[in-house]
Amino acid sequence: MSDEITQSALPLDWRRIDTVLLDMDGTILDLAYDTHFWTEHLPRRYAERRAMSFAQAQAELAPIFDSTQGTLDWYCIDYWSDALGMDVAALKHEIAEHIAWLEGARDFLQAVRAAGKQLWLVTNAHPKSLALKLERTDLGAHFDHLFSTHDLGYPKEDARFWPLFAKRQALQPGRALLVDDNLHVLHTAREFGISHCVVVSRPDSRHPARDVGEGWPVVERLAELGAGLI
């Protein structure tokens, strides 16, 4: 379907968009929570359990994490609980107070709803991770649909995901906007036929915006897409 795509430029022509597909972590919610969990909190708990140093834990975990990048296992709480012999869901709850909105994200969601667009959350987060985020925020109240890729067995960066998702949800890709912080996801979605794809360049509030390269409409924050909505 890639030859049917007209890649969007900014500002968006909202008259050509009916459905807004949004990633969660790094697009709506601050990726700082997840970064802290995987690079600091979990390795520290892992080190405590095995009576090793934090540095030793990091060195031991790094190749294990790298081996699952781009697969659904990387996002799967149950997989990591089994692989590491730890209750990863419980560990995530230990630092749940750090879950936070990215600046301007809630206002953007409200503007999309006010404009009469369909608003769908499409996340690679495991259902247990999604449930925790919904507990800590009012995220769920803003969406028409909440969708975890675990329901279909493929992450968003896998080309097999999008045809299954579009069929299940009766999605018209030519009338859809996808906003995500993961370029692999956006590339796969664009190849499938999602006509409007935008990358978030600053998913983690603790770090400056990333250089995402040429060829992608880019924003630091969702709020930048609001022009022309109403």
Side-chain angles (χ1 to χ4, degrees):
M1 298 179 67
S2 59
D3 58 347
E4 301 175 7
I5 299 167
T6 303
Q7 180 64 22
S8 67
L10 297 179
L12 294 169
D13 183 354
W14 284 102
R15 296 169 300 178
R16 300 176 60 192
I17 297 169
D18 298 325
T19 306
V20 179
L21 312 173
L22 296 181
D23 176 46
M24 182 171 67
D25 301 315
T27 299
I28 301 169
L29 300 183
D30 197 336
L31 196 62
Y33 165 80
D34 301 275
T35 303
H36 174 72
F37 178 81
W38 291 106
T39 63
E40 299 179 46
H41 187 67
L42 185 145
R44 289 192 187 282
R45 289 287 186 259
Y46 186 87
E48 291 168 4
R49 178 178 287 264
R50 286 160 179 77
M52 60 175 61
S53 70
F54 179 65
Q56 288 174 320
Q58 287 180 307
E60 189 168 306
L61 288 169
I64 301 174
F65 290 159
D66 289 344
S67 69
T68 63
Q69 287 282 354
T71 72
L72 201 63
D73 284 344
W74 167 243
Y75 304 99
C76 183
I77 299 303
D78 294 336
Y79 172 85
W80 289 116
S81 293
D82 291 340
L84 303 179
M86 306 171 72
D87 188 342
V88 174
L91 294 179
K92 280 183 166 280
H93 276 271
E94 288 180 355
I95 59 167
E97 70 274 9
H98 295 292
I99 296 170
W101 289 83
L102 281 167
E103 182 181 351
R106 186 190 277 108
D107 291 339
F108 175 75
L109 300 185
Q110 292 172 345
V112 170
R113 293 303 297 272
K117 310 294 183 182
Q118 282 285 304
L119 190 54
W120 300 358
L121 182 75
V122 188
T123 178
N124 281 331
H126 187 270
K128 291 179 182 177
S129 294
L130 176 57
L132 176 60
K133 303 292 175 69
L134 295 176
E135 281 178 23
R136 301 293 301 192
T137 70
D138 64 341
L139 189 65
H142 297 275
F143 286 89
D144 298 292
H145 298 286
L146 302 170
F147 193 88
S148 168
T149 59
H150 293 255
D151 292 342
L152 288 180
Y154 302 106
K156 288 180 288 182
E157 48 267 59
D158 191 311
R160 291 170 290 186
F161 169 76
W162 290 102
L164 291 173
F165 175 74
K167 182 177 181 179
R168 173 170 170 165
Q169 299 297 116
L171 174 69
Q172 297 183 39
R175 301 284 300 176
L177 162 67
L178 172 66
V179 188
D180 205 298
D181 67 307
N182 187 322
L183 283 171
H184 296 295
V185 167
L186 291 164
H187 176 78
T188 304
R190 184 168 67 180
E191 285 298 305
F192 169 67
I194 303 295
S195 290
H196 308 274
C197 294
V198 177
V199 59
V200 175
S201 65
R202 195 180 176 203
D204 187 326
S205 65
R206 301 181 303 176
H207 301 292
R210 305 166 295 160
D211 181 2
V212 299
E214 298 293 328
W216 293 100
V218 56
V219 293
E220 282 195 24
R221 295 281 187 263
L222 276 177
E224 297 172 39
L225 292 175
L229 252 176
I230 300 178

